[in-house]
Each structure stands twice: as C-alpha cells, then as structure tokens.
Amino acid sequence: AFSFFNQIFIPRGPARTIAYMFKHEVCHGRLGHSYDILGMEVVKAFFWINPAIYEIRRSLSAIHEFEADREVLKQADAEEYESTLVAEALRGIHYPLGNHFNQSLLIRRINKMKRLTKSIEGWRIAVLAVTTMAITVFIACQDQIQVPV
C-alpha cells in the first residue's frame, strides 16, 4: 500500500489488513509526507553524487513510517496491528525463513511501537523524582568556600 497526497492505493486483502493499511496511509496524507518526499527528491536530483543524501532519504522514510505507526496506534490494538504488518510483509513469500526480514525497517518499526505502548510504571517516576530532588537539595545546601588566590 502507498499514498500520494490524498490518493491511497491499497492491494486486495483481508478486511482487517485493508482497514489498518487505510488508517496508516491516511496518516501519511494528513501529516504531509508526500511534500517531504517530493522536496527530498528535488534535493536528491541536485546532489545525487553525495552518498549522504541516500541515507537522509532512508532516514526520512523511516521517520515517516514511525509517525504514521504512532498515529495508528492511538486508535488500534498494538499487537493486532503488528501482526498485520508482519503478515503483510510475509505475504507472497514462499520461503519465510529465507528472506530479508531481519534487515527490514519493519523490525525497527515494531520495536518502536513496543516502546510507545509500554507505559512507565508509577514507582519509577516517583524514584526518579525523589532522587532528583535529593541531589538538588544536596548540591544547593553545600557551603561555597572561596579560596583567595
């Protein structure tokens, strides 16, 4: 599936997969990622010889995917969405053990989604706050002695 401005192109598939793809691509459109891609392609046309441009383009695409995933996760179940992404990535591959899955952006996306959906436990926040306060008080209560030179 892909989108270009407000046009969304989704291949046939199960209804659940299509629904998630549609939400994901709508997020790309709403966030204006097509403008970023077009601008990057113009820059790449002028600086095609610079190898850093290709890495910047790859990083920009990854950021776009992370942003769209974050928006979809606000409305969807994380595990179901992740399993749908994996199933879609493996669709049409007859030998799933011998693919490029470990080098894929999909692994990074799933790890990022897991970090987004994990909530920070309250006791960790409390320990951090108490520790910060204690260090601040300790530093603030130290006598400042000036030694004459």
Side-chain angles (χ1 to χ4, degrees):
F2 67 95
S3 62
F4 187 71
F5 294 105
N6 292 327
Q7 300 292 316
I8 298 174
F9 302 92
I10 299 175
R12 296 176 195 259
R16 180 183 74 164
T17 303
I18 290 174
Y20 282 130
M21 284 183 185
F22 183 75
K23 286 179 186 179
H24 183 89
E25 296 304 327
V26 164
C27 291
H28 280 303
R30 192 168 15 90
L31 294 171
H33 291 164
S34 295
Y35 296 107
D36 292 346
I37 299 296
L38 280 178
M40 191 65 212
E41 292 301 320
V42 168
V43 170
K44 197 166 79 172
F46 287 105
F47 299 105
W48 60 271
I49 198 156
N50 187 347
I53 290 297
Y54 299 97
E55 184 58 35
I56 293 169
R57 171 67 170 89
R58 231 182 338 269
S59 296
L60 182 66
S61 293
I63 290 169
H64 286 167
E65 293 304 319
F66 295 149
E67 288 177 340
D69 288 338
R70 183 183 62 219
E71 293 296 316
V72 170
L73 287 177
K74 290 179 182 176
Q75 310 162 5
D77 177 52
E79 287 185 19
E80 189 175 333
Y81 180 58
E82 291 166 7
S83 65
T84 302
L85 288 175
V86 170
E88 193 59 30
L90 295 176
R91 191 170 86 171
I93 297 176
H94 301 291
Y95 303 104
L97 295 177
N99 63 35
H100 67 286
F101 192 66
N102 61 345
Q103 299 172 354
S104 173
L105 172 62
L106 186 58
I107 296 293
R108 289 176 36 211
R109 287 173 63 192
I110 290 173
N111 288 335
K112 186 86 161 176
M113 282 186 273
K114 287 187 185 300
R115 275 187 259 134
L116 283 175
T117 56
K118 272 187 178 174
S119 62
I120 299 176
E121 297 172 358
W123 69 269
R124 289 184 181 179
I125 294 173
V127 167
L128 180 64
V130 169
T131 305
T132 303
M133 291 287 272
I135 291 171
T136 303
V137 168
F138 179 76
I139 292 172
C141 294
Q142 294 292 317
D143 289 334
Q144 301 294 323
I145 301 174
Q146 294 183 348
V147 178
V149 184

